[in-house]
Amino acid sequence: MAAKLTASQFRTQLGPFVLVQQPPHVEVSVPQTQVMGALPMNVQRTTVSRPDNVSANALGLLFQFEELVVATVPPLKGLDELTVGRQPDSDLVLDDSSVSKRHALLRWDALHQRCTVKDLGSTNGTFLNVSTRLRSEVTLHSGDILSFGDVQYWFLLTDTLHERLRKKNTSKAYT
């Protein structure tokens, strides 16, 4: 798709930024709701994040570009907010027990072409580039790694992704 569209057309299709992640590994296990007993069906407690998984998964984002999944965001205009969490009404629903129901907030400012992230008091925290736990709202830069509990995303402005994909497509044409 990137090879056929201009950067402007690509941005119109995908929005101002994308969140890129490795495809989730599917594990077969007993649903948490059955293990915990008294909770209603499809309700999970937040579990403790595993720092060793966070670091390993973040490295995979940077070095395994071929096998990544791009999560697009809804169209954003002006000043807009996206909620991140396990709740089904979140804009970005993360079905992972290390993610809080209401985990974080992404704010897009179209005028300044800037996105910020703010942790909403989550159990396992929101991390920037694996090592920095967010204590306040922080401006994101294209290429940053965001961690919501054990779930990592590579934050890329759409123009950056378009450029990377076009370069990749061009290099394949010469091999």
Side-chain angles (χ1 to χ4, degrees):
M1 181 166 105
K4 297 178 183 176
L5 299 176
T6 66
S8 177
Q9 292 169 324
F10 193 73
R11 193 176 327 102
T12 300
Q13 291 289 320
L14 297 180
F17 66 88
V18 295
L19 298 170
V20 181
Q21 79 174 147
Q22 291 180 307
H25 300 293
V26 179
E27 294 180 19
V28 178
S29 63
V30 176
Q32 287 292 319
T33 52
Q34 291 177 11
V35 173
M36 293 182 287
L39 293 175
M41 196 62 166
N42 295 327
V43 174
Q44 295 181 24
R45 288 193 178 113
T46 303
T47 60
V48 176
S49 181
R50 296 175 305 276
D52 52 331
N53 285 353
V54 173
S55 297
N57 292 340
L59 286 173
L61 281 174
L62 299 175
F63 295 109
Q64 296 172 353
F65 195 70
E66 305 278 331
E67 300 174 14
L68 301 178
V69 174
V70 176
T72 58
V73 296
L76 302 172
K77 304 281 187 205
L79 294 173
D80 218 337
E81 296 182 344
L82 301 171
T83 56
V84 178
R86 263 192 357 253
Q87 291 282 81
D89 63 341
S90 297
D91 297 302
L92 179 60
V93 178
L94 303 180
D95 188 21
D96 186 284
S97 62
S98 70
V99 176
S100 293
K101 292 176 193 172
R102 291 276 181 237
H103 198 99
L105 185 68
L106 293 169
R107 286 195 177 106
W108 175 251
D109 179 350
L111 179 64
H112 297 99
Q113 296 292 293
R114 177 177 60 208
C115 187
T116 60
V117 62
K118 178 181 179 183
D119 186 81
L120 297 177
S122 64
T123 300
N124 289 308
T126 301
F127 288 81
L128 182 62
N129 298 323
V130 181
S131 61
T132 305
R133 185 173 185 154
L134 300 185
R135 304 280 182 216
S136 61
E137 192 166 5
V138 173
T139 299
L140 297 172
H141 302 290
S142 199
D144 281 343
I145 301 289
L146 276 174
S147 301
F148 306 106
D150 286 338
V151 180
Q152 287 80 40
Y153 284 96
W154 192 13
F155 172 85
L156 289 175
L157 293 173
T158 308
D159 291 345
T160 304
L161 177 62
H162 182 261
E163 183 180 320
R164 276 193 81 126
L165 292 173
R166 286 185 63 91
K167 282 181 182 177
K168 184 169 184 46
N169 196 26
T170 304
S171 66
K172 278 186 176 180
Y174 295 109
T175 55

